[in-house]
Amino acid sequence: ILTMLFSLSVISNVKAEEFVAKIGDTNYASLDEAVKASKDGDTITLLQDAKATKTFYKSLTFTGGYTVSIDVYGWRYNGDLVFDGANLSINTDANSPVANNGEAGRWFTMVLNGSITAKNGANITFAFDSASGTNCAIYTGNKGVTINVDNKSSFRIYGKNTKGISGQGIQLDSTANTGIFVTNKSEFLIDGTNRGYVNSPEIYVEDSTFTVQNCTSNGSNGGKFTAIDS
């Protein structure tokens, strides 16, 4: 009887709310631990809202309905980042730490070499304050970069203090095979940046909304734009 009571006591000390994320059947106490343990292409299930203190460079999918938050500037991301019914909130201001990837530029939040996808009710938000020296949310370094927003999801970029500061929500190095695709009752928004999107990607919007507003300079410089029932 004593042995049984002791065993029950040990089990009861492992509380589900202490875990932040899991990969398969393995639970992790922090998001940083889960990301470090993950392999390229893994799915991380969020068990609660979680903050990442380190940037990463793997292709990962996040699920679980909760939010990943990151305060950072200068993140050079290579890979395919998917939020499937989960959320991402990236903030860049004077208090944001530099990304741990070397060659980090103060002027951007992320250099994207790959893709970002929000689907199945996911919400992705980039917010930057140009008073901190950051003037660009996403800069794309390679050909073939895509942003996908599908099935009642949203992708929003907010700029602050951008008047008179040359910068943009999204800027492309190359437009080849690069695009923003917003489909199935989803939303794409750029709000308050100096310029909306520059060296324009292909824009495809179907049964959804695409908005560029409150720019302190111009909204875009053209490019192929398709809107269907949108």
Side-chain angles (χ1 to χ4, degrees):
I1 294 173
L2 289 175
T3 302
M4 290 177 63
L5 289 173
F6 177 74
S7 298
L8 288 172
S9 176
V10 171
I11 293 172
S12 66
N13 285 334
V14 181
K15 298 178 181 179
E17 58 266 25
E18 294 177 355
F19 297 121
V20 168
K22 68 178 182 178
I23 303 173
D25 295 326
T26 304
N27 295 311
Y28 297 91
S30 74
L31 184 58
D32 291 338
E33 290 177 9
V35 170
K36 184 178 180 179
S38 68
K39 300 186 298 293
D40 200 55
D42 272 354
T43 294
I44 296 177
T45 301
L46 300 173
L47 304 176
Q48 56 181 289
D49 291 344
K51 186 177 181 66
T53 65
K54 297 179 181 179
T55 49
F56 54 89
Y57 310 94
K58 302 171 184 177
S59 294
L60 296 174
T61 296
F62 291 87
T63 64
Y66 292 100
T67 299
V68 172
S69 60
I70 306 175
D71 288 341
V72 71
Y73 72 88
W75 185 6
R76 295 180 182 273
Y77 177 73
N78 299 293
D80 298 306
L81 187 59
V82 178
F83 282 80
D84 185 354
N87 310 308
L88 172 65
S89 177
I90 299 182
N91 180 69
T92 306
D93 59 26
N95 297 318
S96 298
V98 62
N100 56 315
N101 52 209
E103 301 182 40
R106 175 80 251 190
W107 60 274
F108 63 88
T109 296
M110 175 185 282
V111 169
L112 174 63
N113 292 307
S115 68
I116 300 180
T117 297
K119 64 180 183 179
N120 300 324
N123 300 295
I124 293 176
T125 302
F126 282 71
F128 69 94
D129 187 344
S130 287
S132 70
T134 299
N135 60 15
C136 183
I138 299 174
Y139 181 88
T140 65
N142 287 338
K143 300 176 182 178
V145 172
T146 59
I147 294 174
N148 308 291
V149 193
D150 184 47
N151 193 21
K152 301 179 180 178
S153 299
S154 67
F155 196 111
R156 303 183 179 105
I157 296 173
Y158 295 100
K160 182 179 179 182
N161 294 316
T162 62
K163 187 174 182 179
I165 297 176
S166 180
Q168 47 278 323
I170 297 175
Q171 179 170 336
L172 278 66
D173 184 50
S174 171
T175 60
N177 300 315
T178 301
I180 300 173
F181 305 93
V182 189
T183 52
N184 296 319
K185 302 187 186 307
S186 296
E187 174 195 4
F188 187 93
L189 170 69
I190 297 176
D191 190 341
T193 62
N194 182 264
R195 295 174 291 179
Y197 55 97
V198 178
N199 196 11
S200 302
E202 175 185 353
I203 308 292
Y204 180 90
V205 188
E206 184 171 358
D207 193 25
S208 299
T209 63
F210 186 100
T211 306
V212 178
Q213 65 185 18
N214 299 321
C215 292
T216 54
S217 182
N218 60 300
S220 76
N221 63 344
K224 181 180 179 180
F225 197 114
T226 301
I228 301 172
D229 296 329
S230 299

